[in-house]
Amino acid sequence: MEIERIRNFSIIAHIDHGKTTLSDRLLHLTGTIADRELQDQLLDSMELERERGITIKAHPVTMRYRAQDGHEYELNLIDTPGHVDFSYEVSRSLSACEGALLLVDAAQGVEAQTVANVHLAMKQDLMIIPIINKIDLPHANVEQVIRQIEDVLAIPGEEVICASAKQGIGVPSILEAIVKRIPPPLGDRERPLQGLLFDSYYDVYKGVVTHVRVVNGVLHSGLKAKLLYSGKTIEIKEVGSFNPKPYVRERLTAGETGYLTANIKSPQDIKVGDTLTDARNPAPELPGFQEIRPMVFSGIYPINNADYERLKANLAKLQLNDAAFIYQAESSVALGFGFRCGFLGLLHLEIVQERLRREFDLDIIATYPSVVYRILTTDGNSVEIDNPVFMPRPDRTQEIQEPMVKAFVITPNGSIGDLMHLIGEKRGILEQTETLDEERVMLTCRLPLNEILIDFHDRIKSLTRGYGSMDYEHDGFQPSDMVRLELFVNAEPVDAFSCVVHRSKAESRGRALAIKLKEVIPRQQYQIALQAAIGGRIIARETIRALRKDVTAKCYGGDITRKRKLLEKQKEGKKRMKSIGSVSIPQEAFVQVLKS
């Protein structure tokens, strides 16, 4: 196919605005899939993707379309995830395109992730085609959504295409707009090979299958190629495209998108954003590459210790199709052997845990999620820690920096006060308020990442009665008064409950932990002290009262001194028991505390 007849584009939108439904309709209309193969969410192959209505992995597909001008065009679509956790994957996918279809729901209007995705597309200098989807809904308000697109996104209203992907309304106009508005790729087939690797997955028979966009040159089987970032030299075994199933092609030329297989055994060898070039005639590296770094860490342990090897094998299987997920073995005095796992964000963490439970039938417990802190020590070094256990002593710490995020919250007018209070409670600063229309505003605020880990999104949904939406992007590090909170049971530290918190919240967090533990640890023959401490200072304490054995039951009548003597003997025994006794916390107690 001549390079002038190739169009590479992506579909970007907020979650549940109809990206996957539109891609299904485009596949059907271009004849890429037959009527008998048509099904909902065709590109979402994972059960979890179908159930939640979200895209977790990017899916490229090649279509052939005969336009009204009589020419046949090759349309390469990359269906990207919409969630912020996968924003680097989205940005790499967008860098493999020249245009983007921006979908906005006709009933819900511009949402938080719509704004974030438009910013990503504008950074890549893409041609944006705005589409208002779901116009067949009874409560669709097309005029209002067009005004929002003009005011918030600064895109002219006359460029908007009204459509309903479900009913097929307006989809032919979208195909014509792709051909007319999106420019063909810039590339030269005579120049040395330059290819952008934007994703990969693992196939049992072929090994690692890598998604590639050829920028310059020609890619064919048998070629000796080099990965510029990792420095590996590989031999290309097979090249092809997707329709949406993979099919083999002779070659991929400049401007085309497809896949390659080579002698690559592990997805860890492939870095998203790396440049592929000819080993004999290398070309320079493509700009924009960065390592994917996990932002949220959590310990995952099997509830039954006998499942440790099975958990290890299944984490390795998950990692084969998700290069952004990392794990390493660790052990805890309280929870036994497990793994420290790194995730891109909260949704990523939730999906991995859900897949372990559902696909591999594992009973697991996850420790409190933590983020990566940057610590400047007194000897001038800088260290990054993701586990409170490795935090240096206070006398060796000069400054602790915590990761920050810039959050965009879209809310109805009536909930502004509640949300401003929530942002203040989470140690955030409101930077900007922008009116979207008569009913909604967008709040831009800067918050610490560890404050939004657990319940921030849920609180927004409950305060706005489900009408609020949120998106965030990482915004560097900031010095903060963070401390390591430890929990002692009978003067013994329990590492599973250690966490890094802001000093202003340490006391309330420590008290809540101690109260919860008091409920779940069984009583002993002696009194047990539960203490929350920062450094050597106790900030909260709860006491589990001793079980009292009635040693005076055998005394009936007689002098009071007999009873006193027995009670004194019991008191001495309890004191000795307390000094040598150790409290074993049952597994159920950990499960209950960590769940709460």
Side-chain angles (χ1 to χ4, degrees):
M1 181 72 70
E2 304 85 44
I3 201 162
E4 296 78 26
R5 303 262 187 275
I6 297 173
R7 300 289 182 271
N8 295 310
F9 68 99
S10 182
I11 305 178
I12 55 175
H14 187 77
I15 285 174
D16 204 27
H17 277 206
K19 293 193 299 295
T20 308
T21 311
L22 178 63
S23 54
D24 291 349
R25 188 61 61 185
L26 292 173
L27 287 171
H28 184 229
L29 215 67
T30 54
T32 309
I33 51 167
D35 289 351
R36 60 190 168 80
E37 295 174 323
L38 190 62
Q39 61 173 23
D40 288 343
Q41 293 172 269
L42 192 83
L43 295 183
D44 287 348
S45 52
M46 218 182 290
E47 182 195 341
L48 209 57
E49 290 183 312
R50 291 172 170 278
E51 186 181 298
R52 291 185 174 221
I54 58 174
T55 300
I56 295 167
K57 287 291 286 178
H59 300 271
V61 63
T62 299
M63 299 173 279
R64 299 285 171 144
Y65 171 64
R66 188 163 292 282
Q68 289 173 2
D69 60 10
H71 292 112
E72 190 177 59
Y73 290 85
E74 181 182 304
L75 309 182
N76 294 311
L77 156 68
I78 299 164
D79 182 28
T80 59
H83 198 274
V84 60
D85 285 4
F86 309 106
S87 60
Y88 180 63
E89 194 171 300
V90 176
S91 74
R92 292 296 86 205
S93 302
L94 292 181
S95 62
C97 305
E98 282 74 43
L101 306 184
L102 172 69
L103 248 63
V104 183
D105 191 307
Q108 294 176 343
V110 172
E111 295 277 14
Q113 280 172 25
T114 317
V115 179
N117 283 331
V118 167
H119 288 166
L120 269 177
M122 285 178 170
K123 265 187 205 166
Q124 304 280 358
D125 203 21
L126 300 187
M127 177 67 206
I128 297 171
I129 301 174
I131 299 164
I132 297 178
N133 194 23
K134 306 187 186 181
I135 58 167
D136 56 318
L137 293 178
H139 50 293
N141 191 340
V142 176
E143 290 77 19
Q144 186 178 324
V145 177
I146 289 175
R147 279 202 306 276
Q148 286 178 12
I149 288 171
E150 288 181 328
D151 297 345
V152 182
L153 308 176
I155 296 171
E158 57 269 17
E159 293 182 10
V160 173
I161 299 170
C162 295
S164 166
K166 202 166 194 176
Q167 303 292 336
I169 302 164
V171 181
S173 308
I174 294 171
L175 283 166
E176 283 300 315
I178 291 167
V179 168
K180 287 174 185 163
R181 296 195 210 172
I182 295 175
L186 299 170
D188 187 347
R189 292 171 185 182
E190 304 305 319
R191 289 174 65 182
L193 173 66
Q194 249 183 336
L196 172 73
L197 309 182
F198 62 89
D199 201 7
S200 66
Y201 69 91
Y202 187 79
D203 184 278
V204 180
Y205 302 105
K206 295 180 180 178
V208 179
V209 180
T210 308
H211 297 169
V212 61
R213 153 75 197 270
V214 182
V215 178
N216 288 308
V218 179
L219 179 66
H220 57 83
S221 58
L223 180 78
K224 278 269 195 298
K226 187 176 182 184
L227 304 174
L228 288 183
Y229 177 76
S230 57
K232 285 186 168 31
T233 302
I234 58 173
E235 186 179 342
I236 309 295
K237 304 282 187 195
E238 179 182 299
V239 297
S241 293
F242 298 90
N243 72 344
K245 292 185 173 69
Y247 67 94
V248 180
R249 291 173 65 173
E250 266 186 45
R251 59 181 56 204
L252 289 174
T253 57
E256 292 187 317
T257 302
Y259 74 86
L260 66 91
T261 63
N263 52 339
I264 306 167
K265 296 287 181 285
S266 163
Q268 300 303 306
D269 298 338
I270 293 289
K271 303 289 183 188
V272 171
D274 203 348
T275 304
L276 179 84
T277 186
D278 190 334
R280 297 183 187 87
N281 185 14
E285 195 172 340
L286 293 167
F289 173 77
Q290 64 184 71
E291 275 269 27
I292 297 183
R293 293 179 61 233
M295 295 302 295
V296 177
F297 287 82
S298 176
I300 291 181
Y301 294 83
I303 286 179
N304 180 1
N305 287 331
D307 286 339
Y308 174 77
E309 287 299 329
R310 201 153 68 89
L311 175 62
K312 184 179 180 180
N314 290 325
L315 285 174
K317 282 181 191 171
L318 274 184
Q319 197 181 39
L320 286 176
N321 283 324
D322 188 353
F325 167 64
I326 64 164
Y327 69 95
Q328 62 183 58
E330 71 168 4
S331 63
S332 155
V333 176
L335 297 171
F337 291 101
F339 297 91
R340 189 82 184 158
C341 302
F343 309 91
L344 295 175
L346 283 181
L347 179 76
H348 193 203
L349 177 147
E350 207 179 309
I351 283 165
V352 168
Q353 288 181 12
E354 188 70 23
R355 288 182 70 186
L356 285 171
R357 290 190 181 102
R358 187 180 298 189
E359 294 176 25
F360 305 113
D361 195 27
L362 282 164
D363 284 331
I364 55 169
I365 177 173
T367 61
Y368 194 83
S370 65
V371 297
V372 180
Y373 294 95
R374 188 178 288 161
I375 298 173
L376 303 177
T377 54
T378 47
D379 53 9
N381 291 328
S382 169
V383 291
E384 291 192 350
I385 62 141
D386 56 66
N387 193 336
V389 174
F390 303 127
M391 196 165 175
R393 295 196 314 270
D395 60 324
R396 289 195 57 238
T397 306
Q398 183 181 325
E399 182 181 86
I400 300 176
Q401 297 178 355
E402 62 177 338
M404 303 296 288
V405 294
K406 184 169 277 190
F408 309 98
V409 183
I410 292 182
T411 170
N413 291 341
S415 307
I416 296 176
D418 293 335
L419 282 179
M420 286 174 74
H421 178 73
L422 174 65
I423 291 163
E425 186 189 314
K426 298 289 185 184
R427 301 191 287 118
I429 298 166
L430 185 66
E431 293 185 338
Q432 190 181 341
T433 308
E434 192 179 335
T435 306
L436 301 184
D437 53 39
E438 310 86 63
E439 295 171 8
R440 300 188 310 160
V441 294
M442 182 166 81
L443 309 177
T444 305
C445 52
R446 195 163 186 261
L447 295 138
L449 177 60
N450 77 329
E451 292 287 346
I452 66 169
L453 281 183
I454 300 298
D455 62 347
F456 188 65
H457 192 259
D458 296 339
R459 293 271 301 274
I460 287 174
K461 286 291 182 190
S462 62
L463 290 172
T464 60
R465 297 177 185 82
Y467 290 107
S469 69
M470 173 203 137
D471 194 34
Y472 66 88
E473 57 188 42
H474 298 292
D475 196 27
F477 284 79
Q478 175 179 294
S480 193
D481 189 11
M482 307 302 289
V483 290
R484 178 181 166 193
L485 178 69
E486 290 184 285
L487 207 89
F488 292 86
V489 176
N490 204 26
E492 289 290 324
V494 183
D495 58 347
F497 297 129
S498 291
C499 57
V500 179
V501 290
H502 193 262
R503 195 179 294 276
S504 63
K505 299 197 170 187
E507 190 176 328
S508 58
R509 179 81 204 283
R511 198 171 298 283
L513 261 176
I515 290 169
K516 187 67 188 173
L517 268 178
K518 185 182 176 183
E519 292 171 13
V520 295
I521 291 181
R523 289 168 69 187
Q524 307 286 330
Q525 293 280 325
Y526 52 91
Q527 188 173 290
I528 301 170
L530 305 173
Q531 298 165 309
I534 299 171
R537 189 167 68 87
I538 306 298
I539 57 167
R541 174 184 168 127
E542 291 290 328
T543 305
I544 300 174
R545 291 178 58 197
L547 279 171
R548 182 168 177 267
K549 183 182 175 186
D550 192 359
V551 290
T552 60
K554 60 187 177 185
C555 297
Y556 46 93
D559 194 73
I560 188 70
T561 53
R562 283 187 66 202
K563 290 187 178 180
R564 281 199 186 129
K565 190 175 171 185
L566 286 168
L567 289 168
E568 284 297 321
K569 193 176 177 185
Q570 184 188 38
K571 196 174 174 183
E572 285 298 316
K574 282 185 183 290
K575 194 185 287 184
R576 190 167 66 252
M577 197 187 288
K578 187 176 181 179
S579 65
I580 61 168
S582 65
V583 182
S584 60
I585 306 171
Q587 191 81 20
E588 300 76 50
F590 284 103
V591 175
Q592 285 186 43
V593 172
L594 291 170
K595 274 183 181 172
S596 67

